[in-house]
């Protein structure tokens, strides 16, 4: 999924649950962190895969636990919490998108990237028959995220205009 797709998915996941205006921004920033981290490690040739530490469910679950334990000590860190939730939304989005794209066009429905460091993308791949020939176009899930995000923003704008009218 592209960065715009991840941003749309993260915004949709966070916007209805946040009272403040800034929380969705931190979720969107968090949704970019796994790719920024992993693509940097790939460019530096640390790992041969583009999904490693940043896409590890264990890393982000541990980070979220640390943030929540820190909150229990009466040191609220809402930005860190929203960053972690954004990163986890990225993982969910990639997992669902990979599965859907496998049946839609790529032929691979599963890889083991989310279990890094115990598993890696080369350890498991389920091959399936693809419905369409391979393409580099955006996935159906990504298009759906764009449409839902646009609809939500339009609805939000309608709600705001109703509240502003005398």
């Amino acid at each position: 999924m592209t960065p715009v797709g991840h941003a749309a998915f993260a915004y949709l996941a966070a916007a209805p649950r946040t009272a403040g205006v800034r929380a969705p921004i931190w979720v969107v920033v968090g949704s970019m962190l796994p790719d920024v981290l992993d693509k940097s490690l790939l460019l530096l040739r640390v790992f041969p895969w583009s999904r490693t530490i940043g896409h590890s469910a264990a890393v982000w679950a541990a980070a979220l636990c640390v943030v929540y334990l820190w909150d229990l000590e009466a040191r609220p860190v809402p930005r860190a919490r929203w960053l972690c939730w954004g990163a986890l939304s990225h993982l969910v989005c990639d997992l669902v998108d990979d599965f859907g794209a496998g049946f839609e066009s790529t032929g691979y429905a599963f890889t083991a990237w989310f279990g890094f460091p115990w598993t890696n993308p080369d350890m498991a791949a389920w091959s399936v028959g693809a419905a369409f020939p391979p393409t580099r176009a955006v996935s159906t899930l990504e298009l759906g995220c764009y449409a839902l995000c646009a609809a939500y923003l339009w609805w939000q704008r309608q709600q705001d205009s109703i509240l502003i009218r005398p």
Side-chain angles (χ1 to χ4, degrees):
M1 184 170 277
T2 65
V4 176
H6 283 298
F9 186 82
Y11 182 82
L12 284 172
R17 292 170 184 79
T18 57
V21 177
R22 295 183 193 269
I25 293 168
W26 289 105
V27 172
V28 169
V29 170
S31 75
M32 302 297 153
L33 289 178
D35 278 341
V36 168
L37 179 62
D38 284 342
K39 299 324 183 230
S40 300
L41 292 173
L42 178 68
L43 289 173
L44 294 171
R45 298 177 188 219
V46 175
F47 296 111
W49 311 287
S50 62
R51 291 181 177 174
T52 56
I53 294 171
H55 283 77
S56 173
V59 168
W60 291 107
L64 193 60
C65 287
V66 167
V67 167
Y68 273 99
L69 288 174
W70 195 290
D71 277 355
L72 292 177
E73 295 292 322
R75 297 181 201 137
V77 282
R79 289 180 185 158
R81 185 182 321 139
W82 289 117
L83 284 170
C84 288
W85 279 115
L88 287 170
S89 81
H90 181 108
L91 301 185
V92 168
C93 198
D94 272 354
L95 190 63
V96 173
D97 190 51
D98 284 357
F99 190 74
F103 286 102
E104 194 175 322
S105 62
T106 65
Y108 293 102
F110 176 79
T111 59
W113 52 262
F114 66 90
F116 191 85
W118 300 282
T119 61
N120 67 55
D122 291 338
M123 291 179 92
W126 293 344
S127 296
V128 295
F132 304 104
T135 62
R136 297 196 137 246
V138 249
S139 68
T140 304
L141 175 68
E142 190 164 357
L143 292 174
C145 283
Y146 295 157
L148 284 173
C149 196
Y152 179 77
L153 290 172
W154 176 82
W155 176 78
Q156 199 61 25
R157 188 170 180 100
Q158 295 300 321
Q159 297 294 78
D160 291 345
S161 67
I162 290 170
L163 294 174
I164 293 172
R165 290 184 186 152

